[in-house]
Amino acid sequence: MHQERVSFYAESIRPIRLEGLLDMPDDADKHDACILCHPHPIGGGCMQVPLLETLARVLSAKGLACLRFNFRGVGGSSGQPSGGAEETEDVEGAFQWLRGRKDLSVERLGLAGWSFGAWVGLNWATSGDACGRIALINPPLVGFDFFHFLDGGEAHLPERALIVGGQRDQFADSDKLEELASRLGAELHILEGADHFLFGREAEVAEIVARYWLVR
């Protein structure tokens, strides 16, 4: 596999240039694409966190093109963080950029988000029909309303949905995880002994996502 440094613009009223990394399989085939969304920048979230790096490495080795990027105001991305109010525009910009690549396919687009990235990613995914596969990793159900996106009967649910939750996650509980999985029609995978930060469990999480996404 090989990596490209890329940049693209958010779908925003004000031009916002975002920096990203595209991890590509080495063969010359046309590859399915996925987007990886990082945790909250207040806690140091960025595209280089170990979990996203591991996801990109594992998924690209299995044939997926993985785009991870810094949300607005993070690292070399311009603009200011909005706490999630406008970061969906960043995801839309990532999707449009991927769609413009002739060597990639977004027909079965995957999106994996960790923590804050799961919240932003689900908001974007349910507002349109572009996302075919989604993985929510330790969604922070304390402090963020994930259920609002599913209300009103207009939400677009991805065809394949996965939730990976830590048994000891400080920002979620099992009842809410089960309710969210039921509402999404998602498979729920609980990691025994894992907390919200998943230190040392990155490869395990990546393999779970890969196994679920790559089943045809």
Side-chain angles (χ1 to χ4, degrees), residues 74-97:
V74 178
S77 291
S78 66
Q80 296 295 323
S82 72
E86 298 176 354
E87 276 79 359
T88 52
E89 297 174 354
D90 302 348
V91 182
E92 178 67 15
F95 166 67
Q96 294 296 341
W97 184 82

Side-chain angles (χ1 to χ4, degrees), residues 30-178:
K30 188 171 185 176
H31 298 283
D32 287 340
C34 66
I35 296 171
L36 309 181
C37 296
H38 67 71
H40 206 297
I42 286 179
C46 68
M47 66 180 177
Q48 287 99 351
V49 294
L51 179 59
L52 262 61
E53 289 184 336
T54 304
L55 276 169
R57 183 178 68 252
V58 169
L59 293 174
S60 61
K62 295 180 183 294
L64 293 177
C66 301
L67 174 63
R68 50 197 163 109
F69 65 95
N70 280 330
F71 285 124
R72 59 187 61 198
V74 178
S77 291
S78 66
Q80 296 295 323
S82 72
E86 298 176 354
E87 276 79 359
T88 52
E89 297 174 354
D90 302 348
V91 182
E92 178 67 15
F95 166 67
Q96 294 296 341
W97 184 82
L98 287 169
R99 189 166 69 169
R101 296 264 308 211
K102 294 182 180 180
D103 55 344
L104 301 178
S105 171
V106 295
E107 290 184 7
R108 301 177 68 242
L109 180 76
L111 184 146
W114 176 24
S115 191
F116 172 76
W119 187 65
V120 174
L122 183 64
N123 187 2
W124 177 81
T126 55
S127 65
D129 59 2
C131 185
R133 297 176 281 189
I134 193 166
L136 308 179
I137 301 168
N138 272 356
L141 300 178
V142 175
F144 291 89
D145 185 356
F146 280 74
F147 299 97
H148 172 72
F149 307 142
L150 307 177
D151 294 335
E154 298 180 356
H156 294 265
L157 301 184
E159 181 181 351
R160 297 184 62 79
L162 171 69
I163 299 175
V164 180
Q167 180 193 28
R168 298 180 179 177
D169 188 351
Q170 299 91 323
F171 304 104
D173 62 59
S174 58
D175 289 342
K176 285 188 175 181
L177 282 174
E178 290 174 2

Side-chain angles (χ1 to χ4, degrees), residues 194-213:
D195 68 5
H196 189 73
F197 303 100
L198 298 168
F199 293 129
R201 309 295 289 269
E202 293 89 355
E204 184 179 358
V205 172
E207 290 292 343
I208 291 168
V209 174
R211 285 197 300 270
Y212 186 75
W213 273 5

